[in-house]
Amino acid sequence: MSKKYAIGVDYGTESGRAVLVDLSDGTEVADHVTPYPHNVIDEKLPNSGVKLEYDWALQHPQDYLNVLTRSVPAVVQASGVDPADIIGLGIDFTACTMLPVDAQGQPLCFNPELANQPHSWVKLWKHHAAQDEANLINEIAERRGEDFLPRYGGKISSEWMIAKVWQILNEAPDIYEQTDRFLEATDWVVSQMTGASDIVRNSCTAGYKAIWHKKKGFPSNEFFKALDPRLENVTQTKLRGEVVALGTKAGELTESMAKLMGLQPGIAIAVGNVDAHAAVPGVGVVTPGKLVMAMGTSICHMLLGTEEREVEGMCGVVEDGIIPGYLGYEAGQSAVGDIFAWYVEQGVPAYVQAAAEQEGTNVHEWLERHASAYKPGETGLLALDWWNGNRSVLVDTELNGLILGYSLLTKPEEVYRSLLEATAFGTRKIVDAFHNNGVEVQELYACGGLPQKNRLLMQIYADVTNREIKVADSKQTPALGAAMFGAVAAGAANGGYDSIVDAAQKMARVRKDTFKPIPENVVVYEKLYQEYSKLHDYFGRGENDVMKRLRAIREEARH
């Protein structure tokens, strides 16, 4: 019997990656990346040049289809694998990344008559312009005593589905009326592969990003009417569609898409998933007590539990949301790698760039090496990691970054180290929130680009959290997890697996070398963390709203 394979497609913020995986042991046979030609659309619309307001972040849905028609054929060709032996395909996506579609399931922005209207486009996960709507959702839900609010740490984010839908209704009611359904991008891409007119929604994005509950469904029509009478029936109309569990077969690959993707028609297509959540089985975590950090431009923190607990600032707790049979908890930091990239691009002096080039390295590596020479606390700097707001535990996109302790002697590598430490302190806040509310965190697992590239960062995280960190062996863990779900959609009878637990036992791997806390570093970082916590509460819990006042002054100046 020949070997069987599955493909996982990981849709990130700036590119999509396809990975071809051997189902017998999880070996990644081939991978290929397709950058999005339009990248993040945050200044003006393509072609029309219509300017966007502050805090907007859009994308072009055609970029997603290009990943399927470029990266998937590329991995098949590079691997030499017979397409007949590829039995399933799964995808994962950033979330909430949503788009309005017409009755034929096509994005409204594909319509030339609507392409110059910003609300017809994909709203990327980091679109924060629906903050006013998010604030009202939280205020009205709290006033009404809605039982869903504690499941989301007491606050709904502007990044999520309902806030974005309401923003469209408020600012572009004509677009709202012309929308047949609002879909997560992951569900839309799946529908393009299966050709299904009855588009299914996955339980992960529905649960974490759209306030859906496995037993209770969406909040009541009365709640939505209290938000806005025009939203009263939104879940039966614009958000309609069966919600199905992860690993479910959404359908089969159509003849037309099979030709474009270099695959055989009829292979199993799994329902969509969230990128970070797909990574959990990708590192082999299928039991409680193990916090998985998907580390990239942002961090998503995921944890399995057996009881539903209220934890401040978590992004949600969803039954079967990550691994069937468990409650899946999610929290997150809305900027991590983005902060380091910002500093390298905007804050590093020219001599650092020149020194890195002379040494034949890049600026990130140069800064890491020089920052590693400092002991914890030696820089005298302390930072708050809110360059893109705070997702957990404060759930406030209007907060900003801060660095304290500058002097005329401060060097670029010291600033860089303080930014690494700030993101570690942010993760510690999340770990403490879980652990102190009865959802135990014994050890940490890390996956994504950052753990593979930055050893200093991972050692700082181990020291700050005082926990051992295991790192995924795979460089494309979400894609590996997506491929696992593709194998589950295919089923054991076809050479795949009947459960994600079975798939993880055979296919997941972590590196042998781990990052263990260094006792003397733990002591110093505990002192710094206490100072971080004071700043965190002072600027983040309303004692001093200077960050928000500065934003207001800036907006007045711009207008």
Side-chain angles (χ1 to χ4, degrees):
M1 184 176 174
S2 61
K3 280 190 174 186
K4 299 300 179 186
Y5 302 85
I7 291 175
V9 182
D10 171 38
Y11 285 95
T13 300
E14 299 176 348
S15 63
R17 178 188 302 272
V19 179
L20 182 73
V21 181
D22 184 332
L23 297 186
S24 66
D25 59 4
T27 298
E28 292 149 27
V29 182
D31 67 271
H32 183 273
V33 177
T34 297
Y36 302 148
H38 301 90
N39 207 314
V40 178
I41 303 168
D42 55 8
E43 294 183 359
K44 60 184 180 180
L45 293 182
N47 302 324
S48 69
V50 172
K51 290 186 178 180
L52 301 176
E53 297 291 328
Y54 185 74
D55 272 346
W56 277 65
L58 308 179
Q59 285 195 314
H60 198 313
Q62 184 60 47
D63 292 351
Y64 305 149
L65 299 181
N66 290 347
V67 176
L68 298 180
T69 59
R70 294 176 185 172
S71 284
V72 173
V75 296
V76 175
Q77 185 175 6
S79 68
V81 167
D82 185 345
D85 292 325
I86 301 172
I87 62 168
L89 184 148
I91 73 171
D92 66 77
F93 234 100
T94 62
C96 170
T97 294
M98 58 86 80
L99 70 161
V101 300
D102 61 22
Q104 287 71 49
Q106 291 305 298
L108 295 193
C109 64
F110 282 178
N111 182 340
E113 296 179 2
L114 302 177
N116 64 345
Q117 297 196 40
H119 283 294
S120 72
W121 291 77
V122 173
K123 284 183 170 60
L124 185 59
W125 65 271
K126 63 179 181 177
H127 175 87
H128 287 161
Q131 188 59 49
D132 290 344
E133 286 77 10
N135 291 341
L136 280 171
I137 290 170
N138 294 326
E139 178 186 321
I140 293 168
E142 186 173 6
R143 186 168 68 238
R144 287 173 52 88
E146 293 287 339
D147 62 0
F148 69 79
L149 203 57
R151 292 200 303 272
Y152 299 94
K155 285 185 179 179
I156 299 300
S157 167
S158 64
E159 296 178 3
W160 293 5
M161 177 69 80
I162 305 303
K164 289 173 174 171
V165 167
W166 197 7
Q167 186 199 5
I168 293 173
L169 177 58
N170 283 334
E171 298 179 8
D174 57 324
I175 293 294
Y176 182 89
E177 288 304 320
Q178 292 183 71
T179 298
D180 184 63
R181 278 191 273 191
F182 293 102
L183 297 176
E184 281 281 354
T186 190
D187 295 332
W188 178 74
V189 171
V190 166
S191 76
Q192 297 305 290
M193 288 188 283
T194 63
S197 57
D198 187 18
I199 300 173
V200 296
R201 299 176 184 272
N202 72 87
S203 60
C204 185
T205 53
Y208 289 104
K209 310 300 179 184
I211 328 179
W212 175 86
H213 189 272
K214 183 179 179 181
K215 295 184 176 67
K216 300 177 181 179
F218 289 104
S220 68
N221 285 9
E222 289 74 21
F223 168 69
F224 284 102
K225 184 178 180 181
L227 295 182
D228 188 318
R230 299 172 296 174
L231 287 173
E232 180 177 3
N233 300 307
V234 67
T235 60
Q236 291 85 34
T237 56
K238 309 292 188 183
L239 295 176
R240 72 185 190 280
E242 184 184 6
V243 179
V244 299
L246 298 178
T248 301
K249 180 179 173 182
E252 297 178 349
L253 189 64
T254 63
E255 291 253 6
S256 57
M257 285 301 293
K259 288 179 182 178
L260 294 171
M261 296 168 64
L263 299 174
Q264 291 200 341
I267 71 167
I269 305 297
V271 297
N273 202 346
V274 177
D275 48 1
H277 299 64
V280 175
V283 296
V285 171
V286 291
T287 54
K290 302 167 183 177
L291 183 80
V292 178
M293 303 182 294
M295 305 178 70
T297 55
S298 60
I299 295 184
C300 192
H301 306 76
M302 293 143 299
L303 185 64
L304 302 177
T306 55
E307 298 178 33
E308 190 169 305
R309 304 276 189 173
E310 293 183 15
V311 181
E312 182 192 16
M314 64 179 169
C315 301
V317 51
V318 178
E319 185 177 353
D320 299 342
I322 301 175
I323 299 295
Y326 292 103
L327 292 157
Y329 289 85
E330 177 194 345
Q333 291 167 264
S334 50
V336 178
D338 269 356
I339 300 176
F340 314 147
W342 162 83
Y343 182 61
V344 166
E345 293 166 8
Q346 304 292 339
V348 173
Y351 81 80
V352 171
Q353 179 78 46
E357 289 178 0
Q358 187 173 3
E359 294 174 21
T361 187
N362 64 50
V363 175
H364 285 280
E365 291 170 347
W366 189 96
L367 288 169
E368 181 195 356
R369 187 170 74 255
H370 285 263
S372 297
Y374 291 81
K375 297 177 182 177
E378 190 178 351
T379 68
L381 300 176
L382 183 62
L384 291 176
D385 52 317
W386 300 341
W387 263 249
N388 197 27
N390 179 284
R391 184 181 297 156
S392 298
V393 295
L394 298 172
V395 195
D396 192 338
T397 61
E398 295 183 324
L399 296 173
N400 300 114
L402 174 77
I403 303 180
L404 192 67
Y406 272 117
S407 79
L408 294 176
L409 298 177
T410 299
K411 294 182 173 59
E413 57 266 34
E414 295 178 285
V415 177
Y416 180 77
R417 183 177 179 116
S418 75
L419 295 174
L420 302 185
E421 292 169 340
T423 67
F425 293 141
T427 283
R428 167 76 182 273
K429 273 287 171 197
I430 292 167
V431 170
D432 287 356
F434 279 127
H435 205 73
N436 295 338
N437 285 281
V439 188
E440 290 192 4
V441 181
Q442 278 115 27
E443 57 187 2
L444 306 183
Y445 286 69
C447 62
L450 289 176
Q452 306 282 350
K453 301 172 184 174
N454 198 318
R455 293 188 62 84
L456 172 61
L457 178 72
M458 300 317 300
Q459 186 59 54
I460 288 172
Y461 271 59
D463 294 338
V464 167
T465 62
N466 196 20
R467 285 169 173 81
E468 182 179 15
I469 300 177
K470 298 178 180 178
V471 177
D473 191 45
S474 168
K475 293 181 180 179
Q476 295 96 26
T477 317
L480 172 60
M484 289 181 183
F485 279 109
V488 173
N494 296 308
Y497 294 95
D498 285 335
S499 77
I500 193 63
V501 174
D502 292 343
Q505 288 174 344
K506 292 283 189 179
M507 298 173 64
R509 304 180 309 280
V510 294
R511 293 181 175 181
K512 292 182 180 179
D513 57 321
T514 66
F515 292 90
K516 296 181 175 65
I518 299 170
E520 55 268 34
N521 291 356
V522 171
V523 172
V524 177
Y525 276 130
E526 182 61 33
K527 295 177 183 177
L528 289 172
Y529 177 67
Q530 295 306 319
E531 298 300 333
Y532 171 92
S533 294
K534 291 174 186 175
L535 292 175
H536 175 280
D537 292 349
Y538 180 66
F539 289 108
R541 297 193 185 276
E543 188 172 349
N544 188 338
D545 281 333
V546 62
M547 293 178 179
K548 297 182 181 182
R549 293 194 296 273
L550 289 173
R551 286 173 68 98
I553 293 169
R554 179 190 63 197
E555 291 308 301
E556 288 175 11
R558 286 180 170 175
H559 290 296

